[in-house]
Amino acid sequence: MCGIIGFNWEDNSLLNKVLKEISHRGPDDSGKFTDKNISLGFRRLSIIDLSKDGKQPMSNEDGTIWIIFNGEIYNFKELRKELETKGHKFKSNTDTETIIHLYEESSSLEECLKKLNGMFAFCIYDSKKKVLFLARDRAGVKPLYYYSNNKKFIFCSEIKGILKDEEIKREVNLNSVYSFLTFRENIEEETCFKGIKKLIPGNYLTYNLVAKKISKKTKYWDINFKKEYHSEGYFIKAFRNLINDSIKKRLMSDVPFGAYLSGGVDSGTVVSIMKKFCSKPIETFSVGFEEKGYNETDESRFLAENLNTNHHELIIGENSIFHLPKIIYHLDEPMSDPTSIPIFLLSKYTKKYCTVILTGEGADEVFAGYHQYKFMKIHKNFIRPLPLNSRKVLSQAVKLTHPKILNSFFRFSSELGEKGIERFDNFLSTNSYSKQYLNQVSIFNEEEKKELMKKNYPGNYYDKYKNNFNKNHLLDSCLKFDFKGNMVDDLLMKLDKNTMAFSIEGRVPFLDYRIIELAFKTPENLKLTPLNKDKYILRKAVKDLLPKQTYTRKKKHFFVPINKWFRNELLQIKEDLLSENYIKKQGIFNYKYIDKVNKNFDNSRLFYARQLWSLITFQIWYKKFIENEKIKI
């Protein structure tokens, strides 16, 4: 696990500045390579082959091919054996060197990439062809950003590294800000910085060093909806075999490892299977809040005791909010998922014990674990056939329902208040799948963004994403939408940036590409049953590994008490960063909408708390990255 940097000119001073900026990604070693038209840099976090033989940038025997690589290739030993039979000689025991020889042996980079099982972002410099190849893993576990104009090309594991080139202006890309306001993270290819882009997961890029331009961007992997129809037992067996192999592969490490344990079926499955391959108790870690009603460590402690792990708990209080500016700095782009705070602090705590951590991320996106999937199914089967007047009766019934009953369907739903009911009306009253979905998941919907934004709104997201939802594969459409959006740019970037802030490598066994492909081959009714049992095939497959109360436990979102913080810790920074004077000076938002939120806060506390949190995280990001100012809470 490392950080990489490269650009198409020779500049040792800039290389040193960037390597210093991303040193948290690799504190164990650094390396550089420069040529007439190329500079490559690398920061190393030693995980496999702790010797100096793993030093990067690394080349082939004659020095014509160079690589800088961030990630892990879990099947590199099998690939190495195959390559050795074909005459390739190895000088190290690293997975990095395997990629070089595999590239030499393959007819194309695409052929090479399809043989790799792992998480990765790397650059290959082919001095004979005068090209750079940048590649990113199928699921997007590892980040990779780049900037390109008609003369320069620069890429890095983190945007803050690219910004060390002072010729690149720090300007806001409002198109991507609209995406952030919708999803709480930006899911577009363009970042929130003008001119800086992400390499999309499952893609590679070719940069021609002679022509000084990107000559090709190619997709080498994608999800498809082609189903296979077998028995339930077939899919249970296939999944068990793959998840066992996936976790076994991800225990490949020469440094201490452990797991984040939430107490649910996903992380519980990971830890239970880890036990099979480890002679000592697994180090497990969980986090909770002092705030009553926001602490779920009882569930993780119960599971840890059942699985006989060496368990560690971190309980954090209201002062955890003071870490927000540092967290936003590490995230690079504005992201308003408040669970970044507990993950950041848990990672800091975990570093005392482990350098590699396995987690349960990805299971909900491939096996249908979220509430919105159930609501989409209910709408299609039961609400869509109803006339509009009947739907209004349903909406009125919700308004009259006791809060305790509402919360039994969705935790804290009563605190969404009047605005929550308004969103529910929007959900009920439309037959547009994209509008149904976005009104469930968006922080600001279309109407709210038009009110909030000072500059003209560039289009309608209901129309933009309408082709993403196929009525014949509605569940899989929703899963794919979240897999390529929220999972990559929220869950995985939150994991990568917050663990790497403390030089920890996070591994995600549910996102082995073989498991992803199996999940999308599985019929929809085996993921979300006709009776709305979520992650059905996953729960069935692991029921003998976990206590009954764990594998039958309903999905519980990990909530952060931001609605309470706005009355105390966040009050002053809200008044500073969202003041009428600053908002008018900045020129991005309409203060009228913010004033309306403040006045109506008590009527929809959780709903408006999420919107205010998004605005505050954006403002901290703006202060730090655009105005280049330090900020404290």
Side-chain angles (χ1 to χ4, degrees):
M1 191 60 55
C2 311
I4 62 174
I5 167 66
F7 40 89
N8 66 329
W9 68 95
E10 192 174 352
D11 188 337
N12 201 51
S13 175
L14 177 60
L15 209 51
N16 288 334
K17 287 178 184 177
V18 179
L19 290 173
K20 183 178 179 181
E21 186 73 9
I22 63 170
S23 60
H24 50 276
R25 296 191 73 91
D28 298 329
D29 195 12
S30 67
K32 296 181 288 184
F33 169 80
T34 57
D35 204 352
K36 185 179 179 181
N37 295 313
I38 191 73
S39 296
L40 301 176
F42 175 77
R43 296 291 322 203
R44 185 184 188 194
L45 176 63
S46 300
I47 303 289
I48 299 169
D49 188 358
L50 306 184
S51 72
K52 292 294 182 182
D53 293 338
K55 193 173 181 66
Q56 295 186 44
M58 186 180 287
S59 72
N60 62 349
E61 293 92 335
D62 62 7
T64 57
I65 297 169
W66 289 83
I67 188 171
I68 44 176
F69 165 68
N70 170 28
E72 305 288 354
I73 305 301
Y74 300 118
N75 63 334
F76 85 95
K77 290 182 179 178
E78 300 96 304
L79 292 170
R80 175 175 173 146
K81 285 180 183 177
E82 183 182 326
L83 290 163
E84 285 175 330
T85 62
K86 296 179 179 179
H88 290 268
K89 305 294 182 185
F90 287 78
K91 59 187 178 185
S92 74
N93 293 313
T94 64
D95 48 356
T96 307
E97 191 179 5
T98 303
I99 301 173
I100 297 174
H101 293 292
L102 185 62
Y103 170 75
E104 289 179 305
E105 187 65 34
S106 302
S107 60
S108 65
L109 181 64
E110 187 164 340
E111 181 190 341
C112 168
L113 289 166
K114 287 182 176 180
K115 291 183 179 180
L116 301 177
N117 183 350
M119 55 179 185
F120 53 82
F122 64 77
C123 170
I124 288 176
Y125 166 49
D126 191 322
S127 63
K128 288 183 177 178
K129 295 180 179 179
K130 302 295 181 188
V131 294
L132 295 174
F133 292 113
L134 272 61
R136 192 173 175 197
D137 66 73
R138 297 167 178 85
V141 184
K142 294 291 101 190
L144 192 55
Y145 305 94
Y146 66 93
Y147 172 90
S148 182
N149 61 18
N150 58 10
K151 64 175 183 176
K152 65 165 53 179
F153 179 74
I154 180 171
F155 64 88
C156 190
S157 297
E158 297 190 1
I159 294 173
K160 62 182 72 67
I162 294 174
L163 293 174
K164 298 309 286 185
D165 180 352
E166 294 179 1
E167 288 186 13
I168 297 173
K169 293 181 181 179
R170 298 178 176 226
E171 296 180 292
V172 177
N173 178 0
L174 281 180
N175 285 337
S176 297
V177 173
Y178 292 124
S179 179
F180 156 73
L181 291 170
T182 305
F183 301 108
R184 78 181 180 183
E185 73 283 336
N186 166 36
I187 68 171
E188 301 295 321
E189 180 180 6
E190 295 181 348
T191 71
C192 290
F193 297 88
K194 277 187 181 177
I196 300 177
K197 294 184 177 182
K198 312 162 191 170
L199 184 60
I200 298 296
N203 280 247
Y204 70 90
L205 175 157
T206 306
Y207 184 82
N208 187 309
L209 288 161
V210 177
K212 292 189 176 181
K213 66 178 183 179
I214 296 170
S215 56
K216 186 164 64 170
K217 285 194 280 189
T218 306
K219 183 188 294 181
Y220 68 88
W221 182 87
D222 202 0
I223 289 169
N224 69 68
F225 294 160
K226 189 174 181 181
K227 298 296 175 192
E228 291 185 2
Y229 295 95
H230 304 286
S231 67
E232 183 179 298
Y234 169 90
F235 287 106
I236 289 173
K237 183 178 179 182
F239 171 70
R240 276 290 286 263
N241 288 341
L242 286 179
I243 193 65
N244 272 281
D245 187 58
S246 176
I247 290 170
K248 183 180 180 180
K249 280 180 163 59
R250 282 159 181 79
L251 295 178
M252 173 182 72
S253 174
D254 294 328
V255 294
F257 57 79
Y260 287 162
L261 185 64
S262 68
V265 66
D266 306 337
S267 60
T269 296
V270 171
V271 174
S272 179
I273 295 174
M274 286 174 74
K275 278 186 64 182
K276 294 182 180 182
F277 306 111
C278 300
S279 57
K280 297 178 181 178
I282 308 297
E283 302 288 333
T284 57
F285 304 86
S286 65
V287 62
F289 288 96
E290 291 173 352
E291 186 78 34
K292 188 178 179 182
Y294 293 84
N295 192 341
E296 298 177 14
T297 52
D298 287 348
E299 287 96 336
S300 55
R301 192 182 311 122
F302 164 80
L303 189 51
E305 289 171 358
N306 187 275
L307 297 175
N308 193 31
T309 73
N310 188 17
H311 192 56
H312 310 266
E313 286 181 4
L314 176 66
I315 306 299
I316 58 180
E318 295 174 341
N319 63 353
S320 60
I321 191 67
F322 301 139
H323 297 277
L324 188 58
K326 189 175 287 187
I327 293 167
I328 290 170
Y329 161 77
H330 280 288
L331 290 172
D332 280 330
E333 287 198 89
M335 183 194 296
S336 63
D337 184 344
T339 60
S340 279
I341 293 176
I343 294 298
F344 178 83
L345 293 174
L346 184 62
S347 298
K348 181 180 181 181
Y349 175 72
T350 299
K351 184 61 179 179
K352 301 173 189 175
Y353 305 91
C354 297
T355 303
V356 171
I357 284 291
L358 275 67
T359 78
E361 263 80 8
D364 289 312
E365 287 78 10
V366 295
F367 289 107
Y370 293 135
H371 291 289
Q372 60 260 33
Y373 308 140
K374 297 179 182 180
F375 290 135
M376 292 295 287
K377 182 180 173 184
I378 289 169
H379 194 293
K380 181 182 179 182
N381 293 338
F382 302 107
I383 296 172
R384 198 178 184 88
L386 295 176
L388 190 58
N389 287 340
S390 299
R391 300 185 197 185
K392 288 180 179 178
V393 172
L394 280 175
S395 180
Q396 288 297 318
V398 170
K399 289 179 184 178
L400 299 172
T401 302
H402 193 278
K404 284 187 177 179
I405 298 174
L406 287 177
N407 291 342
S408 68
F409 289 98
F410 179 68
R411 192 180 173 202
F412 301 122
S413 61
S414 63
E415 290 198 43
L416 291 170
E418 292 176 359
K419 288 294 292 184
I421 297 294
E422 183 184 307
R423 285 288 186 92
F424 186 63
D425 281 339
N426 291 340
F427 169 76
L428 289 176
S429 63
T430 181
N431 286 334
S432 162
Y433 292 121
S434 62
K435 192 171 183 179
Q436 289 166 28
Y437 201 72
L438 291 176
N439 268 287
Q440 289 186 78
V441 303
S442 60
I443 303 300
F444 293 87
N445 67 12
E446 298 307 286
E447 295 73 25
E448 291 154 357
K449 279 184 290 187
K450 286 176 185 176
E451 270 192 84
L452 172 68
M453 300 304 288
K454 195 162 189 175
K455 301 199 174 178
N456 290 335
Y457 182 60
N460 189 313
Y461 274 31
Y462 300 145
D463 293 335
K464 179 176 181 175
Y465 293 117
K466 66 181 181 181
N467 293 330
N468 290 75
F469 298 92
N470 182 330
K471 68 178 181 179
N472 297 319
H473 301 282
L474 185 58
L475 175 61
D476 278 342
S477 294
C478 296
L479 293 174
K480 184 176 181 179
F481 188 79
D482 282 349
F483 181 92
K484 288 180 169 288
N486 175 71
M487 188 194 75
V488 177
D489 292 303
D490 181 351
L491 298 183
L492 292 180
M493 292 305 96
K494 178 178 65 178
L495 178 67
D496 176 85
K497 304 294 177 65
N498 287 306
T499 53
M500 289 308 295
F502 301 100
S503 307
I504 291 176
E505 174 176 293
R507 296 179 177 177
V508 281
F510 280 105
L511 294 179
D512 186 302
Y513 79 94
R514 299 168 300 167
I515 292 176
I516 298 165
E517 290 176 350
L518 175 68
F520 279 93
K521 288 175 186 174
T522 304
E524 291 186 354
N525 68 298
L526 291 181
K527 288 177 283 191
L528 184 61
T529 70
L531 296 176
N532 270 355
K533 290 183 179 179
D534 59 65
K535 292 191 287 198
Y536 174 77
I537 201 72
L538 167 58
R539 294 179 190 274
K540 288 279 285 188
V542 302
K543 64 183 296 186
D544 63 319
L545 300 177
L546 300 169
K548 184 176 180 180
Q549 73 181 68
T550 300
Y551 75 76
T552 59
R553 179 186 166 199
K554 289 182 180 179
K555 173 71 181 176
K556 288 177 73 175
H557 289 279
F558 183 33
F559 279 97
V560 178
I562 55 173
N563 54 325
K564 299 182 183 295
W565 289 351
F566 276 108
R567 299 191 181 281
N568 300 299
E569 288 73 16
L570 284 171
L571 185 59
Q572 186 59 53
I573 195 167
K574 182 189 81 168
E575 291 178 354
D576 291 343
L577 294 180
L578 300 179
S579 70
E580 186 171 6
N581 286 339
Y582 184 67
I583 291 296
K584 286 181 177 178
K585 177 186 171 186
Q586 186 184 37
I588 295 176
F589 304 119
N590 278 316
Y591 181 73
K592 280 185 179 179
Y593 186 85
I594 296 167
D595 188 46
K596 183 173 82 171
V597 170
N598 288 330
K599 288 177 178 175
N600 293 294
F601 185 82
D602 286 337
N603 296 328
S604 305
R605 284 174 294 175
L606 182 57
F607 185 93
Y608 282 133
R610 292 166 65 194
Q611 291 196 341
L612 286 172
W613 183 264
S614 289
L615 292 173
I616 285 173
T617 54
F618 177 84
Q619 297 296 69
I620 294 173
W621 172 84
Y622 187 89
K623 284 276 189 186
K624 172 63 185 172
F625 284 102
I626 304 302
E627 295 184 338
N628 206 19
E629 289 184 15
K630 289 185 178 179
I631 187 165
K632 283 188 176 182
I633 296 179

